Amino acid sequence: MISYTLLLLVTIFFGLISVNVGYIGRKNYVTSAEEKMNLLEKDKELIILLNSYAVELQDKINQLQKIANEFRASLEEAKGREVEYLSNPLNSLSLLRQMHEDWEPVEKLIRQPVGQGQIASIEKLRNDLPLQDDLDEATHALIRIVHSYDLEPKDVARGLVDGVQYSGNLSASDCYTLAKSSFMAGRYQIATKWLRLAKNLFNNMPRKYNEVIGLTNIKINLLLARSLIANGSLSTAREILIKDTMFGEAGNRLAQHFYENPPHPTLNLETWESEGVFDGLCRSVSRRQTNESKITRLHCRYNTTTSPFLKLAPFRMEELSLDPYIVLYHNVLNDDDMERLVRMSEPFLERTTVFRVDNRIEQLAPSRTADGAWIPRKDAKPEDRQLFRRIRQRVGDITGLNVHGDRDIQFMKYGFGGHFEPHNDYFDSKTSYVETVGDRIATVLFYLNTVEHGGATAFSKINLAVPTQKGSALFWHNLHGESYDYDERTFHGACPLISGTKLVMTRWIHELDQMFLLPTMLPPRSRNFSKIFSNKT
């Protein structure tokens, strides 16, 4: 009884927080490690409130049980000799007095509410707790990890993720939630696997817990049957429904109904054009990281040629690709500089957006899940601005390009499942900013930490994947130097992050700054400059 009441309180509590208010102004519990730490503290506080409620409720139950025992003592004394018992004037008086006077205060005690202070505290906390959007985003993140790294749900459920054994495991409710999202996305085979796991785990959970939380065997069987039928296994689905005591022979008609009314995907998880190649690169480099082996480089040397400064202090560089030209520089930033960059950026982190060419606006999108901040800010301290001047000089030294001002520096922090789907860094679109500085001729991506698991940068069109290395900088051209045509081969993305956080800083270099340094040698073959610089809409 007591456990059922506690679980009912939990259910009421979680029901209060399921209102969907969207992304605006809400905390980021999915990708922010700090917010997840705060959420863990709130979880501890809620458990303390729940235990406090249980103590008060148990005290009331104990008190009522003692009163019931007192009442029962008289009945036990009269049992089998009721006439003799009631002939005693003392017993008669006691019975009449008890029935007239004692039950009214007992009824008041029963009606007296318990744990009102705890419930009020829970009400106060509920606005700062995760919403349906947060749960959906976390679910999609894990689905993305499973898909990108080609993992088996049964392994993930027991904590084995991409060759690494993590502590903890998934519950039946966790697996059912993952199954629902997979089903809504039209991934019926993977949904079936999650549901079979949920069904097995369900039997190991206490019955009362299942009743209160709301997960039932019927729910699992219904979704499992629909997933099987959508995946072409009508006979298996029919057998599952018929064996369910809720349906019996009616399960046959229900299976036929599911067959005649197939589901239609309602969730777009945004797959991408080069999905197979990109995912394969993410898997290979992730497992190499796990095994602590290095990927093969074309050539490693010290760069002393792109600027006079490098003759005195050359940077060690690795040529990863010659065409397109992609290089990785080591030890470009020191620990103090990286720590300062993180400190100055974190207070201003917000969900990163994606530029949509079709409507020419920046907006949130599931194709990119990270927190970001544009730096330096206008109110940056003088010593911080000095750091950015050094970084700008360093970028000019290693790239040999003109780097003006501190524009277009973005700090990004990836958390659980954080990723950026394959894309090109150039805009290929007319915007006021592009008209002013030109498109992005090159990119310098600084790695500010070494990622624990996942999170590599993968170039799917040239079969190249680069794991993060603290203090290094990845450099590539987005435009052909001879003609300033767009180089589509630099199509790249950030592999989903499995564990830890990923800290990067991106510095883009623009073409109009290079007009006297790198004049075009050939006319553009495919680029339409009028689309970018024309005043026509």
Side-chain angles (χ1 to χ4, degrees):
M1 176 180 175
I2 180 66
S3 60
Y4 181 84
T5 307
L6 291 177
L7 286 170
L8 182 60
L9 177 67
V10 175
T11 302
I12 293 172
F13 159 61
F14 279 109
L16 295 174
I17 65 171
S18 61
V19 180
N20 186 337
V21 297
Y23 286 92
I24 299 175
R26 69 180 178 90
K27 292 180 170 62
N28 184 359
Y29 286 120
V30 181
T31 60
S32 171
E34 290 75 20
E35 291 298 348
K36 282 190 283 189
M37 186 66 72
N38 292 335
L39 188 61
L40 192 62
E41 292 301 318
K42 288 184 176 69
D43 190 34
K44 294 176 183 177
E45 188 174 349
L46 287 167
I47 291 172
I48 291 172
L49 289 170
L50 189 59
N51 284 330
S52 176
Y53 175 88
V55 169
E56 285 194 21
L57 186 60
Q58 189 64 61
D59 287 344
K60 181 176 180 179
I61 291 172
N62 292 338
Q63 190 175 359
L64 290 172
Q65 285 177 338
K66 288 179 180 178
I67 295 173
N69 290 337
E70 289 293 329
F71 288 171
R72 190 180 298 111
S74 299
L75 291 177
E76 290 294 332
E77 185 180 347
K79 187 175 182 179
R81 60 183 194 93
E82 286 79 3
V83 175
E84 177 189 352
Y85 179 83
L86 292 175
S87 66
N88 186 324
L90 300 180
N91 293 337
S92 296
L93 174 65
S94 179
L95 176 62
L96 289 169
R97 187 209 56 77
Q98 175 185 303
M99 299 300 289
H100 175 68
E101 293 183 348
D102 291 357
W103 276 101
E104 182 179 355
V106 170
E107 181 184 352
K108 288 181 180 179
L109 176 60
I110 293 173
R111 292 181 180 276
Q112 182 179 343
V114 175
Q116 295 304 294
Q118 292 87 339
I119 293 175
S121 296
I122 289 174
E123 287 272 359
K124 187 176 180 180
L125 283 170
R126 67 178 183 175
N127 292 329
D128 284 335
L129 296 177
L131 305 172
Q132 185 63 46
D133 283 336
D134 296 297
L135 177 58
D136 290 342
E137 190 174 347
T139 302
H140 300 167
L142 189 54
I143 289 175
R144 188 184 307 119
I145 289 172
V146 170
H147 176 75
S148 295
Y149 295 99
D150 193 26
L151 308 179
E152 280 296 326
K154 62 181 178 62
D155 293 330
V156 176
R158 62 185 179 90
L160 182 61
V161 183
D162 194 41
V164 177
Q165 183 63 55
Y166 292 91
S167 60
N169 49 61
L170 297 179
S171 67
S173 297
D174 296 331
C175 294
Y176 182 73
T177 296
L178 289 162
K180 284 193 298 183
S181 290
S182 299
F183 181 86
M184 292 169 61
R187 298 179 180 180
Y188 305 116
Q189 186 175 9
I190 197 74
T192 298
K193 292 182 178 182
W194 285 120
L195 287 164
R196 290 193 184 280
L197 282 169
K199 191 173 177 65
N200 292 335
L201 292 169
F202 177 84
N203 296 326
N204 297 324
M205 298 168 65
R207 182 175 63 85
K208 288 294 184 182
Y209 180 90
N210 292 333
E211 289 178 2
V212 175
I213 296 302
L215 181 64
T216 65
N217 198 50
I218 296 172
K219 278 186 175 181
I220 296 174
N221 282 341
L222 283 172
L223 191 57
L224 178 57
R226 294 192 69 191
S227 299
L228 286 167
I229 292 171
N231 206 40
S233 301
L234 176 60
S235 59
T236 306
R238 182 183 289 115
E239 182 181 352
I240 289 173
L241 292 175
I242 291 174
K243 285 184 177 180
D244 192 310
T245 55
M246 175 63 71
F247 306 114
E249 288 302 321
N252 189 34
R253 296 192 298 274
L254 187 57
Q256 188 63 31
H257 172 76
F258 289 157
Y259 177 75
E260 294 172 356
N261 297 274
H264 301 286
T266 57
L267 175 63
N268 179 19
L269 295 182
E270 293 203 13
T271 56
W272 43 83
E273 175 189 354
S274 58
E275 185 178 42
V277 175
F278 180 80
D279 288 343
L281 288 169
C282 291
R283 294 165 200 160
S284 62
V285 74
S286 173
R287 288 166 188 169
R288 273 197 292 264
Q289 275 182 284
T290 303
N291 296 330
E292 298 183 354
S293 61
K294 292 191 64 175
I295 62 176
T296 303
R297 311 295 191 186
L298 280 175
H299 186 63
C300 184
R301 62 182 174 86
Y302 282 95
N303 179 11
T304 61
T305 60
T306 51
S307 79
F309 173 77
L310 294 185
K311 295 182 182 298
L312 299 175
F315 282 114
R316 186 164 65 91
M317 60 172 283
E318 293 183 79
E319 293 175 337
L320 308 182
S321 171
L322 296 179
D323 189 22
Y325 188 64
I326 302 176
V327 296
L328 181 70
Y329 286 92
H330 293 272
N331 301 320
V332 176
L333 297 175
N334 60 47
D335 289 344
D336 290 341
D337 288 346
M338 289 185 285
E339 288 174 7
R340 188 190 299 181
L341 288 167
V342 173
R343 284 198 306 271
M344 74 172 69
S345 302
E346 285 197 326
F348 308 103
L349 288 174
E350 296 179 345
R351 280 298 303 271
T352 52
T353 56
V354 174
F355 178 77
R356 295 295 191 187
V357 175
D358 50 357
N359 54 19
R360 297 179 182 178
I361 63 172
E362 298 274 350
Q363 63 186 57
L364 292 170
S367 60
R368 188 184 199 183
T369 52
D371 294 333
W374 294 97
I375 50 178
R377 296 176 62 84
K378 291 181 180 179
D379 57 353
K381 299 176 181 178
E383 57 268 28
D384 292 338
R385 291 200 171 278
Q386 179 62 34
L387 169 60
F388 283 103
R389 282 193 288 272
R390 293 203 309 273
I391 292 174
R392 183 174 70 239
Q393 181 61 49
R394 206 160 298 170
V395 169
D397 289 336
I398 64 178
T399 65
L401 299 175
N402 287 332
V403 185
H404 290 166
D406 291 326
R407 62 193 177 212
D408 278 0
I409 299 179
Q410 188 178 33
F411 174 90
M412 285 191 293
K413 184 175 186 177
Y414 293 85
F416 162 60
H419 80 303
F420 195 175
E421 289 183 1
H423 60 282
N424 290 106
D425 275 1
Y426 52 73
F427 288 108
D428 189 16
S429 176
K430 177 187 174 184
T431 67
S432 58
Y433 189 71
V434 171
E435 286 180 324
T436 303
V437 300
D439 219 322
R440 295 167 172 172
I441 189 174
T443 299
V444 180
L445 178 63
F446 295 91
Y447 295 115
L448 305 183
N449 73 325
T450 299
V451 170
E452 296 175 19
H453 197 181
T457 305
F459 295 79
S460 56
K461 293 193 174 183
I462 59 173
N463 198 34
L464 173 67
V466 185
T468 63
Q469 298 179 47
K470 185 178 181 181
S472 62
L474 189 64
F475 166 59
W476 69 88
H477 281 266
N478 300 303
L479 309 181
H480 291 284
E482 298 85 359
S483 63
Y484 280 44
D485 275 312
Y486 296 118
D487 193 340
E488 296 180 356
R489 297 170 300 172
T490 59
F491 192 65
H492 66 285
C495 297
L497 185 68
I498 297 175
S499 177
T501 59
K502 173 183 173 182
L503 305 174
V504 298
M505 184 179 70
T506 308
R507 179 51 156 106
W508 288 284
I509 304 172
H510 294 88
E511 58 182 327
L512 293 187
D513 291 335
Q514 321 306 320
M515 66 170 59
F516 300 114
L517 179 67
L518 295 175
T520 57
M521 306 300 293
L522 300 171
R525 295 179 292 273
S526 59
R527 187 174 177 188
N528 184 1
F529 280 91
S530 63
K531 181 171 68 172
I532 300 175
F533 298 109
S534 173
N535 290 324
K536 299 178 181 179
T537 58

